[in-house]
Amino acid sequence: MEKLSIFIGKGVQKITHLRGGSGSALPGLVVERINPKFINKILSKLPHGIVVISGTNGKTTTTKIVSELLEKQGLKVFTNNTGSNFVRGVISAILEDINLNGEFDYDIAVLELDEAHAVKFTEVAPVDYALLLNVQRDQLDRFGEIDHTADLLQKVATATKKTAVLNREDPRVGKITANHTEYFGLSDKLIQKFPSDDDLVSKKQTKSSDRAAKVIFTDLHANRATYTVNKKDYTVSLKLKGMYNAYNVAGAIALCHCVMPDVKVQKFFDDIVNIESAFGRGESFTINDAEVELLLVKNPSAFQLSIASFADNNCDYMIAINDRIADGRDISWLWNVDFSKLKNVKMISGIRAYDMALRLKYDNIQAAEIIENLEAAVQKFTNGKSKHKRIFATYTAMLEIRKIISGKSIL
Protein backbone atom coordinates (compact mmCIF):
# COMPACT_ATOMS: atom_id res chain seq x y z
CA MET A 1 0.00 0.00 0.00
CA GLU A 2 2.87 2.39 0.80
CA LYS A 3 4.49 1.93 -2.63
CA LEU A 4 1.17 2.59 -4.38
CA SER A 5 0.64 5.70 -2.22
CA ILE A 6 4.13 6.95 -3.10
CA PHE A 7 3.53 6.35 -6.81
CA ILE A 8 0.21 8.22 -6.76
CA GLY A 9 1.53 11.02 -4.57
CA LYS A 10 4.59 11.60 -6.74
CA GLY A 11 2.35 11.60 -9.80
CA VAL A 12 0.13 14.31 -8.32
CA GLN A 13 3.25 16.23 -7.31
CA LYS A 14 4.64 16.06 -10.85
CA ILE A 15 1.37 17.24 -12.39
CA THR A 16 1.11 20.10 -9.88
CA HIS A 17 4.66 21.24 -10.66
CA LEU A 18 3.97 21.10 -14.41
CA ARG A 19 0.92 23.32 -13.91
CA GLY A 20 3.07 25.89 -12.12
CA GLY A 21 2.04 25.17 -8.54
CA SER A 22 4.36 24.59 -5.61
CA GLY A 23 2.69 21.27 -4.84
CA SER A 24 3.23 21.69 -1.11
CA ALA A 25 -0.17 20.46 0.07
CA LEU A 26 -2.24 18.74 -2.65
CA PRO A 27 -0.11 15.57 -3.04
CA GLY A 28 -0.13 15.13 0.73
CA LEU A 29 -3.89 15.57 0.85
CA VAL A 30 -4.38 12.88 -1.82
CA VAL A 31 -2.11 10.39 -0.02
CA GLU A 32 -3.71 11.24 3.34
CA ARG A 33 -7.11 10.33 1.90
CA ILE A 34 -6.09 7.04 0.25
CA ASN A 35 -3.70 5.86 2.98
CA PRO A 36 -4.29 7.43 6.43
CA LYS A 37 -1.50 5.31 7.96
CA PHE A 38 1.13 6.43 5.44
CA ILE A 39 2.86 8.97 7.67
CA ASN A 40 3.04 6.51 10.57
CA LYS A 41 4.50 3.76 8.39
CA ILE A 42 7.26 6.00 7.10
CA LEU A 43 8.27 8.15 10.07
CA SER A 44 7.87 5.60 12.89
CA LYS A 45 10.90 3.73 11.49
CA LEU A 46 13.31 6.63 12.08
CA PRO A 47 15.99 5.55 14.62
CA HIS A 48 16.00 8.84 16.57
CA GLY A 49 12.26 9.37 16.36
CA ILE A 50 10.05 12.37 15.68
CA VAL A 51 10.30 15.92 17.04
CA VAL A 52 7.36 18.32 16.87
CA ILE A 53 7.87 22.07 17.29
CA SER A 54 4.73 24.11 17.88
CA GLY A 55 3.47 27.35 19.40
CA THR A 56 2.13 30.59 17.97
CA ASN A 57 5.45 32.36 17.33
CA GLY A 58 8.97 31.30 16.40
CA LYS A 59 8.25 27.84 14.94
CA THR A 60 9.93 28.37 11.58
CA THR A 61 13.24 29.75 12.84
CA THR A 62 13.38 27.36 15.80
CA THR A 63 12.75 24.36 13.54
CA LYS A 64 15.60 25.57 11.34
CA ILE A 65 17.90 25.95 14.36
CA VAL A 66 17.09 22.49 15.72
CA SER A 67 17.46 20.83 12.32
CA GLU A 68 20.83 22.42 11.64
CA LEU A 69 22.17 21.70 15.14
CA LEU A 70 21.27 18.02 14.84
CA GLU A 71 22.73 17.84 11.35
CA LYS A 72 25.99 19.24 12.71
CA GLN A 73 26.04 16.28 15.13
CA GLY A 74 25.92 13.89 12.17
CA LEU A 75 22.21 13.09 12.03
CA LYS A 76 20.29 13.00 8.75
CA VAL A 77 17.36 15.29 9.53
CA PHE A 78 14.06 15.30 7.68
CA THR A 79 12.05 18.51 8.05
CA ASN A 80 9.01 20.08 6.39
CA ASN A 81 10.73 23.18 5.04
CA THR A 82 8.20 23.60 2.20
CA GLY A 83 6.27 26.08 4.35
CA SER A 84 3.18 23.93 4.95
CA ASN A 85 2.89 23.10 8.65
CA PHE A 86 -0.20 20.90 8.32
CA VAL A 87 -0.12 17.07 8.31
CA ARG A 88 -0.68 17.00 4.55
CA GLY A 89 2.30 19.34 4.15
CA VAL A 90 4.50 16.86 6.03
CA ILE A 91 3.33 14.07 3.70
CA SER A 92 4.11 16.23 0.65
CA ALA A 93 7.59 16.86 2.03
CA ILE A 94 8.08 13.11 2.51
CA LEU A 95 7.06 12.52 -1.12
CA GLU A 96 9.82 14.88 -2.27
CA ASP A 97 12.50 12.73 -0.62
CA ILE A 98 11.25 9.14 -0.58
CA ASN A 99 11.99 6.89 -3.56
CA LEU A 100 9.50 4.64 -5.32
CA ASN A 101 10.71 1.64 -3.30
CA GLY A 102 9.81 3.37 -0.04
CA GLU A 103 13.41 4.07 0.97
CA PHE A 104 13.59 7.11 3.25
CA ASP A 105 17.18 7.74 4.34
CA TYR A 106 16.86 9.83 7.51
CA ASP A 107 17.64 9.44 11.21
CA ILE A 108 15.13 11.87 12.73
CA ALA A 109 12.18 14.06 11.75
CA VAL A 110 12.02 17.66 13.03
CA LEU A 111 8.63 19.07 12.15
CA GLU A 112 7.10 22.52 12.44
CA LEU A 113 3.39 22.06 13.03
CA ASP A 114 0.48 24.43 13.46
CA GLU A 115 -1.04 23.92 16.92
CA ALA A 116 -4.26 22.23 15.81
CA HIS A 117 -2.49 20.10 13.20
CA ALA A 118 0.13 19.14 15.76
CA VAL A 119 -2.70 17.50 17.70
CA LYS A 120 -3.89 15.72 14.54
CA PHE A 121 -0.33 14.63 13.85
CA THR A 122 -0.05 12.96 17.28
CA GLU A 123 -3.11 10.91 16.36
CA VAL A 124 -1.44 9.42 13.27
CA ALA A 125 2.25 9.18 14.24
CA PRO A 126 4.29 8.64 17.43
CA VAL A 127 5.85 11.88 18.71
CA ASP A 128 9.00 11.34 20.76
CA TYR A 129 9.91 14.93 21.59
CA ALA A 130 7.99 18.21 21.55
CA LEU A 131 9.21 21.79 21.86
CA LEU A 132 6.33 24.11 22.81
CA LEU A 133 7.23 27.76 22.47
CA ASN A 134 4.39 30.12 23.41
CA VAL A 135 0.73 31.07 23.17
CA GLN A 136 0.15 34.56 21.79
CA ARG A 137 -2.77 36.45 20.36
CA ASP A 138 -2.13 36.20 16.62
CA GLN A 139 -4.00 32.88 16.51
CA LEU A 140 -7.37 34.24 17.68
CA ASP A 141 -8.96 34.16 14.22
CA ARG A 142 -7.99 30.52 13.76
CA PHE A 143 -8.45 28.83 17.13
CA GLY A 144 -10.54 31.21 19.23
CA GLU A 145 -9.35 32.45 22.58
CA ILE A 146 -5.80 31.71 23.66
CA ASP A 147 -6.71 29.26 26.43
CA HIS A 148 -8.08 26.96 23.71
CA THR A 149 -4.73 27.22 21.90
CA ALA A 150 -3.02 26.26 25.16
CA ASP A 151 -5.34 23.25 25.43
CA LEU A 152 -4.22 22.13 21.97
CA LEU A 153 -0.58 22.29 23.06
CA GLN A 154 -1.44 20.36 26.22
CA LYS A 155 -2.77 17.54 24.03
CA VAL A 156 0.50 17.53 22.08
CA ALA A 157 2.49 17.32 25.32
CA THR A 158 0.28 14.54 26.67
CA ALA A 159 0.87 12.49 23.51
CA THR A 160 4.66 13.02 23.59
CA LYS A 161 6.34 9.74 24.50
CA LYS A 162 9.73 10.91 25.75
CA THR A 163 10.25 14.60 26.58
CA ALA A 164 8.27 17.80 26.16
CA VAL A 165 10.45 20.92 26.35
CA LEU A 166 8.44 23.91 27.56
CA ASN A 167 8.89 27.68 27.75
CA ARG A 168 8.64 28.11 31.51
CA GLU A 169 8.07 31.89 31.23
CA ASP A 170 4.97 31.68 29.04
CA PRO A 171 2.01 31.88 31.45
CA ARG A 172 0.09 29.17 29.56
CA VAL A 173 2.83 26.91 28.22
CA GLY A 174 4.51 26.87 31.63
CA LYS A 175 1.43 25.17 33.10
CA ILE A 176 1.44 22.31 30.60
CA THR A 177 2.11 18.83 31.98
CA ALA A 178 3.61 15.80 30.24
CA ASN A 179 5.08 12.37 30.87
CA HIS A 180 8.49 14.02 31.20
CA THR A 181 9.14 17.76 30.99
CA GLU A 182 12.18 19.96 30.64
CA TYR A 183 12.14 23.76 30.56
CA PHE A 184 13.99 26.64 28.98
CA GLY A 185 13.72 30.07 30.50
CA LEU A 186 14.89 33.63 31.09
CA SER A 187 16.92 35.32 33.81
CA ASP A 188 15.27 37.97 36.00
CA LYS A 189 17.38 40.51 34.13
CA LEU A 190 15.84 39.66 30.75
CA ILE A 191 12.28 38.68 31.56
CA GLN A 192 11.10 42.30 31.61
CA LYS A 193 12.09 42.53 27.95
CA PHE A 194 9.82 39.60 27.06
CA PRO A 195 6.32 40.73 28.06
CA SER A 196 3.51 38.28 27.46
CA ASP A 197 0.26 39.51 25.93
CA ASP A 198 -1.20 39.55 29.44
CA ASP A 199 1.67 41.73 30.68
CA LEU A 200 1.21 44.25 27.85
CA VAL A 201 -2.45 44.65 28.76
CA SER A 202 -2.00 44.78 32.53
CA LYS A 203 1.36 46.64 32.49
CA LYS A 204 2.51 44.44 35.36
CA GLN A 205 6.11 43.50 36.07
CA THR A 206 6.98 39.81 36.02
CA LYS A 207 9.71 37.62 37.44
CA SER A 208 11.18 34.47 35.98
CA SER A 209 9.73 31.16 37.10
CA ASP A 210 11.33 29.29 39.98
CA ARG A 211 11.16 26.00 38.05
CA ALA A 212 14.56 24.55 37.19
CA ALA A 213 15.37 25.08 33.51
CA LYS A 214 17.70 23.06 31.35
CA VAL A 215 18.87 26.20 29.50
CA ILE A 216 18.45 29.81 30.70
CA PHE A 217 18.93 32.82 28.44
CA THR A 218 20.68 35.20 30.82
CA ASP A 219 22.11 38.17 28.92
CA LEU A 220 22.44 39.84 25.50
CA HIS A 221 24.82 42.59 24.31
CA ALA A 222 24.57 43.41 20.61
CA ASN A 223 24.82 39.96 19.04
CA ARG A 224 26.59 38.29 21.97
CA ALA A 225 24.24 36.10 23.98
CA THR A 226 24.90 34.35 27.28
CA TYR A 227 23.17 31.15 28.40
CA THR A 228 23.39 29.25 31.66
CA VAL A 229 23.35 25.44 31.72
CA ASN A 230 23.91 23.63 35.03
CA LYS A 231 25.22 26.88 36.58
CA LYS A 232 27.85 27.27 33.84
CA ASP A 233 27.73 30.26 31.48
CA TYR A 234 28.22 30.00 27.72
CA THR A 235 28.64 33.20 25.69
CA VAL A 236 28.32 33.07 21.91
CA SER A 237 28.14 35.48 18.98
CA LEU A 238 24.95 34.90 17.01
CA LYS A 239 24.13 35.49 13.37
CA LEU A 240 20.49 35.14 14.40
CA LYS A 241 19.08 38.62 14.93
CA GLY A 242 16.81 39.85 17.69
CA MET A 243 16.19 38.94 21.32
CA TYR A 244 13.34 36.60 20.42
CA ASN A 245 15.63 34.51 18.20
CA ALA A 246 18.26 34.46 20.95
CA TYR A 247 15.55 33.05 23.22
CA ASN A 248 14.59 30.50 20.57
CA VAL A 249 18.18 29.27 20.79
CA ALA A 250 17.67 28.38 24.46
CA GLY A 251 14.68 26.19 23.59
CA ALA A 252 16.47 24.65 20.61
CA ILE A 253 19.55 23.67 22.61
CA ALA A 254 17.44 22.29 25.46
CA LEU A 255 15.59 20.11 22.96
CA CYS A 256 18.72 18.99 21.10
CA HIS A 257 20.38 17.95 24.35
CA CYS A 258 17.32 15.84 25.19
CA VAL A 259 17.57 14.14 21.79
CA MET A 260 21.35 13.66 22.02
CA PRO A 261 22.27 13.68 25.74
CA ASP A 262 25.76 12.27 25.07
CA VAL A 263 26.76 15.37 23.09
CA LYS A 264 28.51 17.97 25.24
CA VAL A 265 26.53 21.21 25.64
CA GLN A 266 29.57 23.18 24.50
CA LYS A 267 29.35 21.49 21.09
CA PHE A 268 25.82 22.81 20.54
CA PHE A 269 26.96 26.33 21.44
CA ASP A 270 29.97 26.02 19.14
CA ASP A 271 27.67 25.07 16.28
CA ILE A 272 25.00 27.72 16.86
CA VAL A 273 27.22 30.61 15.78
CA ASN A 274 26.84 30.08 12.02
CA ILE A 275 23.08 29.49 11.94
CA GLU A 276 20.97 32.27 10.44
CA SER A 277 17.29 33.20 10.70
CA ALA A 278 14.62 31.66 8.51
CA PHE A 279 13.26 33.71 5.61
CA GLY A 280 11.51 36.93 6.57
CA ARG A 281 12.63 36.65 10.20
CA GLY A 282 15.53 39.08 10.17
CA GLU A 283 16.76 38.46 6.64
CA SER A 284 19.10 41.07 5.21
CA PHE A 285 19.20 42.21 1.59
CA THR A 286 21.43 44.69 -0.22
CA ILE A 287 19.45 47.10 -2.40
CA ASN A 288 20.86 50.28 -3.92
CA ASP A 289 23.99 49.83 -1.76
CA ALA A 290 21.89 49.87 1.41
CA GLU A 291 21.22 47.05 3.88
CA VAL A 292 17.51 46.27 4.14
CA GLU A 293 16.31 43.98 6.96
CA LEU A 294 12.88 42.33 6.83
CA LEU A 295 11.28 41.54 10.19
CA LEU A 296 8.05 39.62 10.77
CA VAL A 297 5.70 41.02 13.45
CA LYS A 298 2.52 39.11 14.27
CA ASN A 299 1.32 40.23 17.69
CA PRO A 300 2.06 42.82 20.40
CA SER A 301 4.74 40.81 22.16
CA ALA A 302 6.62 40.09 18.92
CA PHE A 303 6.41 43.73 17.80
CA GLN A 304 7.54 44.98 21.20
CA LEU A 305 10.55 42.66 21.15
CA SER A 306 11.43 43.72 17.60
CA ILE A 307 11.41 47.37 18.62
CA ALA A 308 13.53 46.60 21.67
CA SER A 309 15.97 44.61 19.53
CA PHE A 310 16.17 46.84 16.48
CA ALA A 311 15.25 50.44 17.42
CA ASP A 312 18.10 52.58 16.07
CA ASN A 313 18.10 56.34 15.47
CA ASN A 314 20.48 55.86 12.53
CA CYS A 315 18.09 53.57 10.69
CA ASP A 316 15.06 54.30 8.50
CA TYR A 317 11.89 52.27 9.12
CA MET A 318 8.93 51.06 7.12
CA ILE A 319 5.88 49.38 8.68
CA ALA A 320 3.55 47.22 6.56
CA ILE A 321 0.29 46.03 8.13
CA ASN A 322 -2.19 43.69 6.44
CA ASP A 323 -5.33 42.13 7.91
CA ARG A 324 -5.79 39.07 5.73
CA ILE A 325 -6.76 35.71 7.25
CA ALA A 326 -3.15 34.64 7.79
CA ASP A 327 -2.37 37.94 9.54
CA GLY A 328 -5.46 38.03 11.73
CA ARG A 329 -8.44 40.24 10.95
CA ASP A 330 -8.38 42.06 14.27
CA ILE A 331 -5.48 44.52 14.42
CA SER A 332 -6.50 46.13 17.70
CA TRP A 333 -3.39 44.49 19.18
CA LEU A 334 -1.36 47.37 17.73
CA TRP A 335 -2.66 49.52 20.60
CA ASN A 336 -0.86 47.29 23.12
CA VAL A 337 2.55 48.04 21.58
CA ASP A 338 4.70 50.93 22.82
CA PHE A 339 6.10 52.62 19.69
CA SER A 340 7.57 55.62 21.48
CA LYS A 341 11.20 54.51 20.96
CA LEU A 342 10.76 53.99 17.22
CA LYS A 343 12.16 56.95 15.28
CA ASN A 344 12.61 57.72 11.58
CA VAL A 345 9.45 56.00 10.33
CA LYS A 346 9.74 56.93 6.68
CA MET A 347 6.97 54.75 5.23
CA ILE A 348 3.74 53.04 6.26
CA SER A 349 2.07 50.61 3.89
CA GLY A 350 -0.33 47.71 3.59
CA ILE A 351 -4.09 47.28 3.76
CA ARG A 352 -4.28 48.87 7.23
CA ALA A 353 -1.65 51.57 6.65
CA TYR A 354 -3.87 54.39 7.89
CA ASP A 355 -4.76 52.48 11.07
CA MET A 356 -1.04 52.09 11.72
CA ALA A 357 -0.43 55.80 11.08
CA LEU A 358 -3.18 56.71 13.55
CA ARG A 359 -1.67 54.42 16.17
CA LEU A 360 1.75 56.06 15.77
CA LYS A 361 0.25 59.53 16.23
CA TYR A 362 -0.78 58.56 19.76
CA ASP A 363 2.92 57.97 20.49
CA ASN A 364 3.78 61.32 18.88
CA ILE A 365 5.31 59.69 15.79
CA GLN A 366 4.56 61.21 12.40
CA ALA A 367 5.25 58.90 9.46
CA ALA A 368 6.95 60.65 6.57
CA GLU A 369 4.74 58.97 3.95
CA ILE A 370 1.80 56.58 3.62
CA ILE A 371 1.45 54.42 0.49
CA GLU A 372 -1.01 51.54 0.77
CA ASN A 373 0.32 49.69 -2.29
CA LEU A 374 3.24 47.56 -1.10
CA GLU A 375 5.17 47.52 -4.35
CA ALA A 376 5.08 51.30 -4.69
CA ALA A 377 5.95 51.71 -1.01
CA VAL A 378 8.93 49.33 -1.16
CA GLN A 379 10.19 51.03 -4.32
CA LYS A 380 10.06 54.48 -2.71
CA PHE A 381 11.45 53.32 0.65
CA THR A 382 14.43 51.42 -0.78
CA ASN A 383 15.35 54.37 -2.99
CA GLY A 384 15.92 56.55 0.08
CA LYS A 385 19.37 57.86 0.96
CA SER A 386 19.86 55.94 4.23
CA LYS A 387 22.29 53.03 4.06
CA HIS A 388 20.45 51.11 6.77
CA LYS A 389 16.75 50.30 6.54
CA ARG A 390 14.36 47.99 8.34
CA ILE A 391 10.87 46.83 7.41
CA PHE A 392 8.42 45.54 10.04
CA ALA A 393 5.69 43.51 8.32
CA THR A 394 2.78 41.24 9.19
CA TYR A 395 2.80 37.78 7.64
CA THR A 396 1.17 38.29 4.24
CA ALA A 397 2.85 41.67 3.86
CA MET A 398 6.20 40.01 4.56
CA LEU A 399 5.61 37.38 1.87
CA GLU A 400 4.65 40.00 -0.69
CA ILE A 401 7.61 42.22 0.19
CA ARG A 402 9.99 39.28 -0.25
CA LYS A 403 8.62 38.75 -3.75
CA ILE A 404 9.02 42.44 -4.52
CA ILE A 405 12.57 42.50 -3.19
CA SER A 406 13.48 39.33 -5.12
CA GLY A 407 12.87 41.25 -8.34
CA LYS A 408 15.34 43.93 -7.33
CA SER A 409 19.12 43.99 -7.52
CA ILE A 410 20.18 42.02 -4.44
CA LEU A 411 23.85 41.31 -3.81
Side-chain angles (χ1 to χ4, degrees):
M1 184 63 180
E2 275 63 57
K3 289 184 178 180
L4 177 61
S5 300
I6 294 167
F7 181 79
I8 293 172
K10 282 184 173 290
V12 174
Q13 212 159 45
K14 180 69 172 178
I15 293 169
T16 306
H17 288 320
L18 289 173
R19 293 177 63 119
S22 65
S24 64
L26 180 59
L29 176 61
V30 171
V31 171
E32 188 178 26
R33 293 284 175 83
I34 64 175
N35 185 0
K37 296 182 179 180
F38 176 80
I39 204 165
N40 189 323
K41 291 284 188 179
I42 304 302
L43 296 186
S44 63
K45 298 175 184 177
L46 299 177
H48 284 267
I50 300 171
V51 174
V52 163
I53 297 175
S54 194
T56 53
N57 274 208
K59 296 187 293 293
T60 301
T61 294
T62 307
T63 300
K64 183 176 184 290
I65 295 169
V66 170
S67 298
E68 293 188 26
L69 282 177
L70 294 178
E71 284 175 347
K72 290 177 185 295
Q73 313 316 314
L75 295 186
K76 295 177 181 177
V77 179
F78 166 73
T79 188
N80 54 330
N81 55 9
T82 59
S84 177
N85 57 10
F86 295 174
V87 174
R88 67 193 63 160
V90 176
I91 297 173
S92 291
I94 291 172
L95 291 170
E96 292 281 359
D97 290 335
I98 199 167
N99 67 24
L100 290 172
N101 291 321
E103 294 169 340
F104 193 63
D105 188 23
Y106 289 97
D107 298 312
I108 190 169
V110 177
L111 306 173
E112 171 193 352
L113 288 169
D114 169 283
E115 296 90 315
H117 284 268
V119 176
K120 292 182 179 178
F121 184 88
T122 65
E123 295 170 356
V124 298
V127 173
D128 298 281
Y129 304 93
L131 174 56
L132 306 182
L133 299 170
N134 43 54
V135 176
Q136 295 177 347
R137 282 172 51 195
D138 59 300
Q139 300 293 294
L140 289 178
D141 289 342
R142 301 170 69 186
F143 303 137
E145 46 85 26
I146 54 180
D147 289 326
H148 175 59
T149 306
D151 288 342
L152 294 173
L153 293 181
Q154 174 62 71
K155 290 178 181 178
V156 175
T158 299
T160 299
K161 298 181 179 302
K162 292 184 179 178
T163 305
V165 179
L166 310 175
N167 178 357
R168 74 174 188 184
E169 316 304 353
D170 186 283
R172 290 168 179 81
V173 172
K175 296 178 181 178
I176 288 174
T177 58
N179 178 49
H180 179 70
T181 56
E182 293 283 359
Y183 297 92
F184 65 101
L186 294 162
S187 65
D188 284 337
K189 177 179 180 179
L190 287 186
I191 197 165
Q192 303 302 331
K193 297 182 181 293
F194 288 81
S196 68
D197 288 340
D198 295 346
D199 296 337
L200 288 171
V201 173
S202 67
K203 308 296 184 184
K204 69 178 181 180
Q205 299 291 304
T206 58
K207 292 185 177 181
S208 58
S209 169
D210 58 2
R211 291 192 186 95
K214 195 172 186 72
V215 181
I216 300 173
F217 177 29
T218 53
D219 205 359
L220 182 68
H221 294 285
N223 68 327
R224 289 184 62 78
T226 300
Y227 302 87
T228 301
V229 182
N230 293 327
K231 298 183 179 180
K232 181 178 179 180
D233 290 343
Y234 299 82
T235 300
V236 292
S237 295
L238 299 175
K239 287 187 177 180
L240 295 153
K241 297 179 180 180
M243 283 190 289
Y244 44 86
N245 280 333
Y247 192 28
N248 290 338
V249 167
I253 289 179
L255 173 66
C256 288
H257 201 249
C258 290
V259 175
M260 303 187 76
D262 294 334
V263 176
K264 291 183 178 180
V265 173
Q266 182 65 60
K267 184 65 170 64
F268 291 121
F269 284 110
D270 290 343
D271 290 333
I272 198 70
V273 297
N274 292 316
I275 296 177
E276 298 182 356
S277 302
F279 75 94
R281 280 78 170 175
E283 276 185 300
S284 291
F285 306 90
T286 301
I287 304 172
N288 298 331
D289 296 324
E291 181 187 16
V292 180
E293 291 179 89
L294 181 57
L295 301 157
L296 175 66
V297 290
K298 297 167 58 181
N299 54 49
S301 180
F303 213 146
Q304 199 71 69
L305 280 169
S306 286
I307 292 171
S309 298
F310 297 107
D312 180 352
N313 291 339
N314 297 315
C315 183
D316 284 353
Y317 291 91
M318 171 176 164
I319 304 175
I321 305 295
N322 280 352
D323 64 350
R324 296 191 174 100
I325 295 286
D327 305 296
R329 295 291 194 188
D330 181 1
I331 63 162
S332 62
W333 59 267
L334 291 170
W335 293 87
N336 294 128
V337 182
D338 179 5
F339 292 98
S340 59
K341 294 182 180 180
L342 194 61
K343 310 299 181 185
N344 301 330
V345 179
K346 301 297 184 182
M347 180 68 66
I348 301 178
S349 186
I351 297 168
R352 302 300 289 269
Y354 285 93
D355 296 83
M356 185 69 243
L358 176 64
R359 172 65 191 92
L360 290 180
K361 279 192 173 184
Y362 277 81
D363 278 343
N364 297 313
I365 298 170
Q366 179 69 49
E369 195 164 2
I370 303 171
I371 301 177
E372 291 177 276
N373 180 275
L374 281 171
E375 186 165 5
V378 170
Q379 183 69 35
K380 185 76 176 287
F381 179 69
T382 55
N383 283 337
K385 293 181 180 179
S386 171
K387 295 300 182 183
H388 196 184
K389 303 178 175 72
R390 292 191 176 108
I391 303 174
F392 295 119
T394 55
Y395 184 71
T396 66
M398 179 271 289
L399 294 179
E400 188 174 342
I401 290 168
R402 286 191 87 250
K403 289 181 181 179
I404 294 165
I405 289 177
S406 68
K408 288 180 166 289
S409 175
I410 302 173
L411 303 179

